[in-house]
Amino acid sequence: MSQTLDCTFAQSAPTRKRSVGRLDEPVRPQKRRSSSWRMYSENGTYRENLLSSQTSPTDDPFNGRDPNVPPHSLLNKTLGLEKTRHARYIGSTSAFEQRLFSLCQGRSAQQRGALRAVTHDETFQMILDSSTQHYEEEVRDLDAIEASVFPHGRALINLYFRIIHPSFPILHKKVYLEKYGRTHREFSPPLLAAVYILALRWWDYSRDLVKHSKPDVDKLEALAEKSLHDVIHRPKLSTVQAGLLLSQRHDGGSWVVSTQVVAMGHELGLHLDCSEWNIPLWERGLRKRLAWALFMQDKWGALIHARPSHISIDDWAVLDVTNEDFPESVEDEDDEEGSSEVEKGRVLFSQMIALTEILSEILGTFYTIRARKEMNIGGNEELGMILERAKPVQMKLKKWYMSLPDVLKIDNTTVRKLSSVGYLHLAYFASEITLHRVILRALSGSTPPPILDICRSAAETRFMSATNLITHLRPEHLQSFWYFASSLNLAIVGAFGALLWATSRSEEERNVYKTRLQEYRWCLRVSSKGAEFMEIAVEAINDSMEALECAERGITQADHLNLDRAFEHAEWDDNVVDSLAAIHVDTDPSEALSPDDGNIRKEDAADETTSPDAWSTPASIGHALYEETLEGGFQDRTTPEGLFALLMQAE
């Protein structure tokens, strides 16, 4: 039923004004400028009035929608990739008191920027890019970057998503292509440059590009470094992406840049659980992938640069990645020759995250200043403490390796497809070696000989298996994308061999390690012709070997005799034996394959009584003291008593 209402206005109705906060109308400047990047910097008064008209600073005037992108764009409601604003996370100890946000007035919003709450407890400050340093240089930098590769920009982007992105999926492909489809000026300058720089490594893998001269990489890198320094003042997800991509250099990247990227990640709240945030679903997945990429950058950077990690587990709430966090699937595979496999790349990235979590535990347990002080007690007591702490970590490494999907096996390759699984296997060896390095350093003349034999045997097995990895690498491995830490991980393998050489107890043992290191160096040198990242490892091994050969000339026969006597009179410590059992019973040399695949040969084993059948699994390779098959059945090594009995028999 309709009702008639009398008008209560004595005058004509006033002219209706458009609400400044409506979501269904984009904000249009009075005059269109040549560059949308400068639109609001030249119309700053309008934006200030818009902010000050809010009833509450917790209500973003755009409600997360960027008025500078089309209504149906993926970028609508994004938090971390707005075009003209950047978000800064407001932490719990900030000068902003979170419980007072709802009481704030427009004046606070005008001075500090709009506030955007993504959950009841998590809030971000939205700040105009135009208020930051070097903002006016962005368009000029973007134009210079695009001009440096013109007219090959689109071809290089396609090359990047064919080869690099599947194994290192820190971008959102559809978002990136959507932005480039409109204009290159929508990007953060260092990200645009970083994609081009990495893609240029595979210039010859494009039938279109190979016909042309390659752009100047040095010029691009200079522009990338300059622009990255500029945009640090207005961090976005694209800034972190750029920093991570620019860090994928053969020399291991810059530790200083890595720390800056981690700091930007904290500014953006990448260390938080975003699964319930009021942001687009695709951005939640991107944030998780990007957060874990940041975690890996920090931990592997800490390892190869020998620096303290900047990410604390106590302040890390990111959930594990799932299949839903990866927008591409097998349907997005590129059939062109020389591409990488999308599905394999997803599994590879996920497994690298899991391995990095173990590496983080190794670094935190053995290599922090506090850990070193706690363990610096000397003698067998120190060794016992190290072995006790190493046991759970070694178990995790074994479980990780044994559960690797078949698709990530080193010999699982697809015809005419590149495979990046080599960097994952190398990272596994670097983790194993980092664990056994601290054990090897704790051995001394007072260590009982049987215990010394077991520890050195375990270390030797890992070194031999790691060096054998290089012989398994095929062209499709060498030509693929290798993670930034790979070159120095190869050098760490060489350094471990040098440590074994330096601590050898006989001339024969020294010659074994010397020969092995020479073979390893030669293999790297030959392979580096197709994989330049190996050259850095060759140089590092050269330095180690030169130092050892120089020192070796000063060793006398008397030194060897004195060392042998020290071992003969070493005291037996039952506590060390017990801890040794705990760590080495389930020790897994892990990466060594079967003899048929060219790995450690049976004649390299320390004892001929090793069962031939045992060579079919990684966990069965090594010294007979802890992997021997006895006549009366397999000796139980799962207890200290079992290992003690075996040691007595070996003695």
Side-chain angles (χ1 to χ4, degrees):
M1 176 183 295
S2 62
Q3 296 181 352
T4 302
L5 300 177
D6 294 334
C7 179
T8 59
F9 284 101
Q11 305 176 25
S12 301
T15 302
R16 185 176 182 179
K17 297 182 180 180
R18 182 176 66 86
S19 171
V20 296
R22 287 179 58 184
L23 299 181
D24 57 348
E25 290 189 43
V27 178
R28 297 184 178 89
Q30 295 178 354
K31 181 179 179 181
R32 184 170 181 83
R33 304 292 178 177
S34 59
S35 169
S36 60
W37 286 93
R38 296 171 181 243
M39 183 184 302
Y40 291 105
S41 64
E42 296 182 9
N43 199 9
T45 304
Y46 174 77
R47 176 61 66 88
E48 288 182 4
N49 290 338
L50 183 144
L51 290 175
S52 63
S53 66
Q54 302 174 89
T55 58
S56 169
T58 57
D59 295 327
D60 184 356
F62 301 123
N63 195 26
R65 175 179 169 184
D66 190 342
N68 301 291
V69 298
H72 301 294
S73 169
L74 285 170
L75 290 166
N76 272 318
K77 301 256 179 157
T78 180
L79 173 67
L81 287 174
E82 273 201 25
K83 185 177 179 181
T84 57
R85 298 189 301 176
H86 58 281
R88 291 182 183 269
Y89 174 65
I90 300 177
S92 58
T93 60
S94 167
F96 287 155
E97 175 48 56
Q98 296 177 352
R99 295 191 178 186
L100 301 180
F101 285 163
S102 60
L103 305 178
C104 293
Q105 299 301 318
R107 181 173 180 274
S108 173
Q110 177 178 339
Q111 291 178 345
R112 301 179 183 273
L115 302 181
R116 179 176 173 184
V118 291
T119 66
H120 179 71
D121 299 319
E122 311 290 1
T123 304
F124 285 81
Q125 181 184 7
M126 307 302 296
I127 304 172
L128 289 173
D129 292 344
S130 57
S131 65
T132 60
Q133 300 177 38
H134 308 294
Y135 172 76
E136 67 282 354
E137 299 178 24
E138 275 206 353
V139 172
R140 183 169 63 248
D141 290 340
L142 284 164
D143 288 346
I145 291 167
E146 189 67 14
S148 67
V149 300
F150 184 81
H152 308 303
R154 186 56 184 249
L156 284 170
I157 290 172
N158 291 339
L159 197 58
Y160 173 88
F161 283 107
R162 271 181 50 206
I163 295 177
I164 302 159
H165 178 70
S167 302
F168 195 55
I170 66 168
L171 302 184
H172 192 288
K173 183 177 179 180
K174 289 183 179 179
V175 169
Y176 195 95
L177 295 180
E178 176 193 316
K179 294 171 72 172
Y180 193 80
R182 287 192 291 266
T183 172
H184 66 273
R185 290 184 173 183
E186 285 201 22
F187 289 99
S188 174
L191 177 58
L192 184 66
V195 167
Y196 289 153
I197 289 169
L198 287 182
L200 282 170
R201 296 182 188 173
W202 286 270
W203 179 268
D204 295 341
Y205 276 73
S206 170
R207 290 191 295 267
D208 297 328
L209 295 176
V210 72
K211 306 171 187 176
H212 304 280
S213 300
K214 198 172 182 180
D216 187 347
V217 179
D218 293 337
K219 179 180 179 181
L220 261 178
E221 289 185 342
L223 285 168
E225 291 175 1
K226 181 264 181 190
S227 59
L228 180 63
H229 176 74
D230 290 347
V231 299
I232 281 177
H233 304 291
R234 45 187 176 277
K236 301 181 183 182
L237 297 183
S238 55
T239 319
V240 176
Q241 291 167 331
L244 290 172
L245 292 180
L246 291 173
S247 296
Q248 304 305 308
R249 302 184 182 183
H250 297 324
D251 60 358
S254 166
W255 177 243
V256 174
V257 171
S258 292
T259 59
Q260 289 176 320
V261 176
V262 170
M264 288 189 289
H266 287 143
E267 286 276 87
L268 295 165
L270 286 178
H271 58 296
L272 305 172
D273 174 15
C274 66
S275 57
E276 300 297 328
W277 287 10
N278 183 24
I279 58 176
L281 187 60
W282 66 262
E283 186 175 347
R284 295 182 200 172
L286 175 62
R287 279 179 165 269
K288 286 174 68 176
R289 301 195 310 275
L290 197 54
W292 282 113
L294 197 65
F295 183 88
M296 293 191 290
Q297 181 74 29
D298 177 67
K299 300 305 178 181
W300 289 100
L303 172 68
I304 64 175
H305 294 296
R307 296 290 184 267
S309 168
H310 292 285
I311 292 180
S312 169
I313 297 299
D314 293 336
D315 285 314
W316 188 256
V318 185
L319 301 182
D320 293 340
V321 292
T322 64
N323 291 347
E324 289 71 28
D325 296 319
F326 296 84
E328 289 91 32
S329 63
V330 67
E331 287 78 16
D332 299 293
E333 294 276 2
D334 195 310
D335 295 330
E336 187 171 348
E337 185 177 276
S339 300
S340 299
E341 298 173 81
V342 172
E343 190 67 16
K344 179 182 286 189
R346 176 186 63 78
V347 181
L348 169 63
F349 188 75
S350 301
Q351 289 295 328
M352 187 65 174
I353 292 172
L355 179 62
T356 306
E357 290 184 273
I358 303 176
L359 173 69
S360 175
E361 186 173 349
I362 294 173
L363 296 177
T365 303
F366 299 103
Y367 289 94
T368 64
I369 294 176
R370 175 179 293 180
R372 293 201 304 269
K373 283 184 177 180
E374 290 175 352
M375 295 184 296
N376 188 24
I377 54 181
N380 292 336
E381 186 178 353
E382 176 180 340
L383 178 61
M385 180 184 294
I386 290 173
L387 293 174
E388 183 178 359
R389 292 185 177 188
K391 176 189 175 181
V393 186
Q394 183 68 75
M395 295 287 288
K396 290 179 182 179
L397 281 171
K398 176 184 178 180
K399 182 179 180 181
W400 177 90
Y401 176 78
M402 299 305 291
S403 62
L404 270 183
D406 290 340
V407 71
L408 297 183
K409 300 300 183 183
I410 196 69
D411 56 350
N412 190 332
T413 56
T414 303
V415 177
R416 294 188 296 277
K417 291 281 189 177
L418 297 179
S419 175
S420 291
V421 300
Y423 86 66
L424 179 68
H425 288 260
L426 177 60
Y428 165 76
F429 283 129
S431 301
E432 281 274 8
I433 284 173
T434 301
L435 177 60
H436 283 264
R437 200 175 186 178
V438 71
I439 297 174
L440 196 59
R441 288 172 176 173
L443 302 178
S444 66
S446 64
T447 305
I451 298 176
L452 188 71
D453 287 342
I454 294 175
C455 291
R456 289 189 63 85
S457 175
E460 177 186 5
T461 300
R462 282 150 182 80
F463 172 63
M464 296 297 183
S465 299
T467 56
N468 276 326
L469 170 67
I470 307 305
T471 65
H472 283 79
L473 298 179
R474 301 172 61 178
E476 46 264 56
H477 297 126
L478 295 173
Q479 293 293 309
S480 68
F481 168 78
W482 283 77
Y483 194 54
F484 84 100
S486 297
S487 57
L488 291 178
N489 279 345
L490 288 169
I492 286 174
V493 173
F496 192 59
L499 179 60
L500 285 166
W501 177 3
T503 56
S504 296
R505 294 167 290 169
S506 67
E507 185 71 27
E508 180 181 2
E509 188 179 8
R510 276 197 303 278
N511 288 335
V512 168
Y513 291 122
K514 180 178 180 179
T515 301
R516 189 69 174 198
L517 270 174
Q518 290 172 336
E519 293 173 352
Y520 179 57
R521 178 179 59 181
W522 169 251
C523 191
L524 290 177
R525 179 173 288 140
V526 173
S527 300
S528 67
K529 301 306 176 183
E532 296 178 358
F533 71 92
M534 291 185 172
E535 293 178 358
I536 295 174
V538 173
E539 294 174 3
I541 294 171
N542 281 340
D543 293 341
S544 295
M545 293 190 68
E546 287 176 6
L548 284 169
E549 288 168 349
C550 180
E552 191 177 49
R553 289 191 287 269
I555 297 177
T556 64
Q557 187 64 31
D559 294 328
H560 299 319
L561 292 175
N562 291 335
L563 185 61
D564 291 340
R565 292 193 187 101
F567 285 122
E568 288 173 4
H569 295 287
E571 295 182 359
W572 189 281
D573 190 327
D574 289 344
N575 292 330
V576 176
V577 175
D578 291 346
S579 299
L580 187 70
I583 176 61
H584 288 295
V585 168
D586 286 315
T587 291
D588 177 19
S590 294
E591 194 50 41
L593 304 176
S594 66
D596 295 335
D597 289 328
N599 242 314
I600 302 177
R601 301 182 303 275
K602 295 179 183 179
E603 54 266 30
D604 290 332
D607 195 297
E608 295 178 357
T609 60
T610 304
S611 169
D613 295 334
W615 288 90
S616 61
T617 60
S620 305
I621 304 173
H623 199 287
L625 281 173
Y626 70 88
E627 295 292 349
E628 179 187 27
T629 301
L630 304 177
E631 277 188 19
F634 190 79
Q635 175 68 42
D636 183 11
R637 277 76 163 180
T638 59
T639 64
E641 294 78 13
L643 181 60
F644 187 86
L646 182 58
L647 290 173
M648 292 297 94
Q649 181 181 7
E651 190 181 44

